[in-house]
Amino acid sequence: MFNPFKQLTRPHLHNLAEAKSVVGWEQFCLRMENAKLYHVHELSKFLDSGIYRFENSNTVFIDPVRVLNRSYTRFRVSPSAYYCRFFETNVCSNPKKRKRKQKKTHMLNERELAADQRHQEVKPLLLIAHEALLAAIDLLNFVGKLNGDFGSSMKCGVEESFIELGRVWQAPMYEITLNFNQCSVIDQFREPRVLPLFNNLVANETGDDVEAEILDRTYILPRESCFFMGSFKLQHFLFLLKSDMKYPTLPNRYFLSLPIKQLTHSEGALVALWMTNREKLRDFVEKELFPTWGVKYVATIYWLKVKLDGSLISDLDLFHHRPYEYLLLGYCSGVVASSEHNSTLQAVKGNQVIISIPGDYSRKPPIRELLLEHVPGPKTARCIELFAREMTAGWCSWGNEPLHFQESRYFLGD
C-alpha cells in the first residue's frame, strides 16, 4: 500500500506551520484508514450475522433474511419471498392506475400537533442514521443484490387462514404432523408425531428443523421452538407484544388485562412493544398500559424502513405514512431483588435506530438478538412473543397466526 508519509522527511519541512499541516494530514489519513478497516471488518461480520453496526453510532442495519437463516439448520428463507414487496417489477407499471387525489391541507388537532412535535424531535436522529447508510457504499451495493435466491423455493399457493380455520366447529379436530429428520435426531423423535393444532403447545425440541404438515401443506419449524394457537397463560417468559392497527386488533382495554406480572421471570423481564405513529396509542401506553402492567419505560428504538437502493420507503415528513415505527422498551420488576445474573446486565441505550428493508405487511424485523443482551435473569433467556406471526429458534410464539410466515418461503440449503 502506498504511504505518502514516507515521502516526507525532515529536510522537506521548512517551517512549523508546514510540520503542523503534515501532522494534521497524517492524522486525517490515519482516521480514514481506520474507518476503512472498520467498514471491511463490519461488512465481513454482516455477511455472517446479518447485522451491520455503524461506527460511533447507535445505528444498525439488519438483513432479516440472514438473521432468520441463523435459526435454521437445513432450510433457508427465500429472499425474493421475504422482500416480495420490493422485488415485484410491475408495481408501478400499470398505465391505468389512478392517481391519488391530493388531500386538502387542514388544521391539525391537538393530538396531531403532539405527534408532529414528536416527529420533529426525532427527525434529526433519523436523518443522521440514513446518511450513515447512504455513505456505506459497499454495504448498499450488497443490499441492492438481496433479491438473489440461492435455491429453489418450496411450492407456493394460497395461504391457509388460521384465523378462519380456528373459528369453524371442526377446529378441535385439526391436527399437525411433525416429521423429524431421521439423520439428525435421537431415537425418541424418529417417528412422526401427530398433535392437536389448536389450544395445544406444539414444540420442536430438537436441534434441527422440522417439517410439519397441516391439511396437505408443509410448514417449517425452527430448532428448539414452540407455538400455541389459542388462549393460554405461560409463566416465567420474556414478553414481546406487537400492536398493529392495520389488522384486526383488540380494543385497548383488553391489553390492560394481559397477565404481564404472571409472565415475568422471578428476576424481572424486558418488555418490548411495537408501536405505530398514532399519538393516541402512544398516550395510552405511557399513561395507562405500562403503569397497569407494572412496566417502567426505559428507552425507544426506531425502525427506519428503506428500499433496495437505500432510499426511504416514503417521505420522512409524510404525515399519515411515516417511514418508521417505534419499539418501546421497559422493565418489569421480578420478586427477586438482586441476582448475580443481573450484575452484567447492559443498560438499554435510548435513541437507537434500526434500518432494514421491510418484509410482508405487518412483519417486523428480527431484532431479538439486539434485545437479549438487555434481558435480566439467566442469560439463556426464556422468551415469548405474543400475537406472533412467525416462529423463531429458542422462542415460544403465541397468537392465531404463528405459522403465517413458515410456509412456501424456504428452500433446502447446503
Side-chain angles (χ1 to χ4, degrees):
M1 181 179 297
F2 173 71
N3 187 349
F5 309 116
K6 289 183 179 180
Q7 311 299 321
L8 300 174
T9 59
R10 286 189 179 276
H12 294 88
L13 304 181
H14 300 293
N15 53 56
L16 182 60
E18 185 178 352
K20 289 183 177 179
S21 175
V22 170
V23 172
W25 173 250
E26 181 178 14
Q27 291 176 346
F28 171 77
C29 291
L30 184 60
R31 288 196 298 268
M32 293 297 291
E33 184 66 21
N34 289 337
K36 181 179 180 180
L37 292 175
Y38 177 88
H39 176 72
V40 172
H41 177 65
E42 277 300 308
L43 191 60
S44 176
K45 290 170 55 179
F46 169 76
L47 297 179
D48 293 328
S49 67
I51 300 175
Y52 183 97
R53 299 177 185 270
F54 293 91
E55 187 177 14
N56 301 321
S57 173
N58 286 340
T59 302
V60 300
F61 178 85
I62 291 181
D63 173 14
V65 171
R66 287 186 177 271
V67 174
L68 291 173
N69 280 338
R70 294 167 61 192
S71 294
Y72 297 92
T73 53
R74 292 180 295 121
F75 290 89
R76 294 292 180 268
V77 180
S78 168
S80 61
Y82 186 95
Y83 296 118
C84 59
R85 292 166 59 186
F86 297 96
F87 292 162
E88 296 173 354
T89 57
N90 58 348
V91 174
C92 301
S93 60
N94 186 358
K96 297 182 179 180
K97 186 176 181 180
R98 293 187 301 172
K99 295 183 178 180
R100 290 184 179 181
K101 293 183 179 180
Q102 189 172 4
K103 293 184 179 180
K104 295 182 180 180
T105 56
H106 68 281
M107 297 295 293
L108 301 180
N109 59 37
E110 184 177 354
R111 280 206 174 100
E112 290 173 332
L113 286 171
D116 187 64
Q117 180 180 353
R118 195 186 298 275
H119 167 72
Q120 296 302 327
E121 292 173 355
V122 72
K123 181 178 176 179
L125 175 71
L126 300 176
L127 286 174
I128 292 174
H130 190 225
E131 289 173 0
L133 172 66
L134 296 180
I137 304 300
D138 291 343
L139 176 62
L140 280 180
N141 289 337
F142 179 83
V143 171
K145 302 174 183 177
L146 288 178
N147 61 336
D149 280 334
F150 306 103
S152 299
S153 59
M154 300 175 62
K155 64 179 181 179
C156 298
V158 179
E159 296 180 11
E160 198 70 61
S161 173
F162 289 103
I163 297 178
E164 298 298 328
L165 201 62
R167 291 172 179 169
V168 300
W169 65 270
Q170 300 99 325
M173 294 181 284
Y174 285 122
E175 295 178 327
I176 178 173
T177 301
L178 306 184
N179 297 310
F180 301 97
N181 181 23
Q182 301 297 311
C183 301
S184 59
V185 299
I186 57 180
D187 291 340
Q188 68 180 99
F189 295 114
R190 289 194 178 279
E191 296 298 324
R193 183 179 298 177
V194 181
L195 302 168
L197 177 61
F198 293 102
N199 295 317
N200 181 49
L201 187 65
V202 179
N204 171 17
E205 302 171 22
T206 73
D208 190 15
D209 309 332
V210 167
E211 295 180 65
E213 294 182 5
I214 305 170
L215 299 176
D216 297 325
R217 303 184 74 89
T218 302
Y219 299 80
I220 309 300
L221 310 187
R223 54 182 169 78
E224 299 175 347
S225 65
C226 61
F227 72 88
F228 191 105
M229 290 200 287
S231 300
F232 79 126
K233 293 182 180 180
L234 281 180
Q235 302 292 333
H236 310 314
F237 279 92
L238 168 70
F239 176 63
L240 180 65
L241 172 65
K242 179 189 75 174
S243 176
D244 194 326
M245 297 305 294
K246 291 184 179 179
Y247 304 90
T249 57
L250 294 172
N252 289 346
R253 64 181 184 276
Y254 284 83
F255 290 93
L256 297 170
S257 302
L258 288 171
I260 305 305
K261 294 181 179 178
Q262 290 85 344
L263 292 170
T264 301
H265 191 275
S266 60
E267 298 179 15
L270 175 67
V271 179
L273 174 66
W274 281 111
M275 286 285 303
T276 57
N277 288 287
R278 294 188 62 187
E279 189 64 22
K280 181 179 180 180
L281 285 176
R282 183 66 178 257
D283 191 61
F284 167 71
V285 170
E286 292 180 345
K287 296 181 179 179
E288 296 186 57
L289 193 61
F290 271 12
T292 301
W293 286 352
V295 173
K296 181 181 179 181
Y297 165 82
V298 293
T300 298
I301 295 178
Y302 301 92
W303 172 30
L304 189 61
K305 309 173 189 178
V306 297
K307 301 177 184 178
L308 283 172
D309 60 358
S311 63
L312 301 177
I313 64 169
S314 63
D315 188 272
L316 191 58
D317 291 317
L318 190 60
F319 190 85
H320 292 291
H321 191 63
R322 308 281 195 205
Y324 64 92
E325 295 183 26
Y326 299 92
L327 182 68
L328 302 186
L329 301 181
Y331 280 110
C332 191
S333 301
V335 296
V336 178
S338 61
S339 167
E340 60 179 355
H341 297 125
N342 295 338
S343 61
T344 58
L345 183 65
Q346 298 186 32
V348 180
K349 295 181 180 179
N351 293 331
Q352 297 185 68
V353 180
I354 295 170
I355 306 177
S356 76
I357 303 172
D360 286 351
Y361 293 100
S362 87
R363 196 171 194 177
K364 310 303 181 185
I367 61 171
R368 301 164 181 88
E369 181 177 337
L370 302 179
L371 297 179
L372 288 178
E373 59 189 17
H374 306 300
V375 176
K379 291 303 109 177
T380 304
R382 303 176 66 187
C383 309
I384 183 173
E385 180 177 0
L386 301 189
F387 308 104
R389 294 169 66 85
E390 185 171 39
M391 296 183 65
T392 304
W395 282 57
C396 182
S397 302
W398 174 87
N400 52 22
E401 288 189 294
L403 296 178
H404 183 76
F405 292 112
Q406 305 305 126
E407 180 199 26
S408 303
R409 294 170 170 83
Y410 300 86
F411 57 84
L412 280 169
D414 296 334

